[in-house]
Amino acid sequence: TRPLEKLVEGTRAVAAGNLHHQIDVVRSDEIGALAEAFRTMVASLIQRQQQVDTANKTIRRRAEELKVGSRVLHHLNATPEVTDAFPEIVEALRETIGFESISLALLDDSHHWMTTVAMDHPRVVPIRGPRQSISDTAVAKDLLAGRPHLTPYLATEIESPVEKMLYEAGFRSRVSLPLRIEDKSIGMMNLSWTTPEGYDEAHIPLLSQIANAIALAMERSRLFEESRRRSAELPALHQLSLAVNSSLDD
C-alpha cells in the first residue's frame, strides 16, 4: 500500500499548491502507470503556471509602460519646449528603464551634422562641442534609415569618436532611437548604461514611442516658432510696402 500512500500524498500536496512535490513511484504495473500519469499532469500544471506568470509579468510591464508613456506625453504637452520638459521625461523613463544617461540630438537639414540639445549625463563632455559630424558615430546608418541602434557591448564600436568618448566615460552599452517625423529622421535619443547589455529589448517599443512623441513635440515647437517669427515680420513688411508705394507715388 506504500506506493498508493505516496500517490495520495502527492495528490494532496498538489491540491495544496505544491507543484514541485516529487513522487518516486516507478513500477511496471497499473500503480506505476498511475504515478507516471500523475507526474505528466503535474508537469503540465507547472508549464501552465509558468505561462500564466509570464503573461502576468507582460501585463504588469505594459501597464507600467502605459503609465510612463502617459506621464511623458503630459509633460510634453504642458510646455512648448521639449528641453523644458526634459528633466521630467528623464525622471519618468529612469524609473522604468533604469539607464545611467540620456541625451537628445538634432540633425541639421543636410543630415551631415547633429547638435546635442539636451543631456543628462554630466560626466560626458562632447569631444568636439555639442555639434558633431554624423560620420563620427556608429549610429549614423541606422539613424538615417529610421531604425533603432542597439549596442550591447560599446567596446565593439570604439573606433568611432562618439562611441570612444562614451566608453572612456565609463559607459558599456547604449541604445539610440531615431526621432522621426513621418518617414524622415530629425534626430536621435540616446540612452547609455555602465554595464554591458544594460538594456532590456522588451523596452524598445516603449522607447520608440517616446522618441516619436518627442519628435512630434519638437516639430510642433519648430512650427510655432516659425509662425511667431513670420508674425513678427508682418509689421515690417507692411511698413516696407507703404514706403515702396509712397516712393512710386512720388
Side-chain angles (χ1 to χ4, degrees), residues 43 73 86 88 98 106 117 120 141 146 171 217 226:
L73 289 175
F86 186 68
E88 286 77 16
L106 291 179
V117 295
D120 186 53
K141 184 177 180 180
F171 298 107
E226 183 177 316

Side-chain angles (χ1 to χ4, degrees), residues 152-214:
Y153 301 99
L154 204 56
T156 62
E157 295 181 349
I158 58 174
E159 70 278 0
S160 298
V162 171
E163 283 65 33
K164 182 179 179 180
M165 172 196 68
L166 290 171
Y167 188 85
E168 290 177 347
F171 298 107
R172 294 296 179 265
S173 55
R174 186 266 317 273
V175 169
S176 297
L177 301 112
L179 305 178
R180 292 176 60 80
I181 298 296
E182 296 180 349
D183 60 347
K184 179 183 177 182
S185 293
I186 66 168
M188 61 180 173
M189 179 173 71
N190 299 296
L191 300 94
S192 300
W193 290 258
T194 55
T195 57
E197 296 184 293
Y199 56 84
D200 184 347
E201 290 196 33
H203 288 141
I204 300 303
L206 169 65
L207 292 173
S208 295
Q209 292 174 7
I210 298 299
N212 289 336
I214 290 174

Side-chain angles (χ1 to χ4, degrees), residues 7-245:
L7 282 173
V8 171
E9 290 174 1
T11 301
R12 289 174 177 170
V14 170
N18 183 8
L19 298 182
H20 299 286
H21 183 86
Q22 297 294 322
I23 297 179
D24 57 358
V25 176
V26 181
R27 297 165 59 117
S28 58
D29 56 8
E30 292 179 352
I31 294 178
L34 184 59
E36 182 60 30
F38 182 83
R39 284 190 289 267
T40 300
M41 180 194 70
V42 171
S44 178
L45 288 174
I46 291 174
Q47 183 180 25
R48 290 181 182 179
Q49 184 61 53
Q50 291 173 340
Q51 293 172 344
V52 170
D53 290 343
T54 299
N56 286 336
K57 288 180 181 178
T58 300
I59 291 172
R60 287 194 296 270
R61 188 188 74 246
R62 289 180 177 173
E64 182 62 26
E65 289 178 349
L66 286 173
K67 180 180 177 182
V68 171
S70 178
R71 286 179 61 188
V72 170
L73 289 175
H74 170 75
H75 292 306
L76 287 174
N77 290 327
T79 177
E81 294 293 336
V82 172
T83 51
D84 292 338
F86 186 68
E88 286 77 16
I89 294 172
V90 171
E91 181 181 356
L93 286 177
R94 181 168 278 135
E95 291 177 3
T96 300
I97 309 301
F99 53 85
E100 275 81 34
S101 72
I102 182 172
S103 66
L104 300 176
L106 291 179
L107 291 169
D108 68 352
D109 292 338
S110 70
H111 281 192
H112 293 155
W113 296 90
M114 57 184 178
T115 301
T116 301
V117 295
M119 183 182 301
D120 186 53
H121 42 80
R123 289 188 301 159
V124 179
V125 178
I127 53 176
R128 297 182 184 175
R131 186 171 185 262
Q132 295 170 326
S133 171
I134 192 174
S135 62
D136 284 345
T137 176
V139 176
K141 184 177 180 180
D142 284 334
L143 169 61
L144 295 178
R147 298 187 298 260
H149 183 91
L150 311 183
T151 311
Y153 301 99
L154 204 56
T156 62
E157 295 181 349
I158 58 174
E159 70 278 0
S160 298
V162 171
E163 283 65 33
K164 182 179 179 180
M165 172 196 68
L166 290 171
Y167 188 85
E168 290 177 347
F171 298 107
R172 294 296 179 265
S173 55
R174 186 266 317 273
V175 169
S176 297
L177 301 112
L179 305 178
R180 292 176 60 80
I181 298 296
E182 296 180 349
D183 60 347
K184 179 183 177 182
S185 293
I186 66 168
M188 61 180 173
M189 179 173 71
N190 299 296
L191 300 94
S192 300
W193 290 258
T194 55
T195 57
E197 296 184 293
Y199 56 84
D200 184 347
E201 290 196 33
H203 288 141
I204 300 303
L206 169 65
L207 292 173
S208 295
Q209 292 174 7
I210 298 299
N212 289 336
I214 290 174
L216 287 172
M218 285 183 163
E219 180 67 3
R220 179 192 63 196
S221 296
R222 185 189 68 81
L223 293 174
F224 177 79
E225 181 59 30
E226 183 177 316
S227 176
R228 186 171 63 178
R229 178 179 56 81
R230 289 181 177 177
S231 296
E233 291 174 350
L234 288 177
L237 290 175
H238 178 67
Q239 292 298 324
L240 178 61
S241 176
L242 291 177
V244 170
N245 289 334

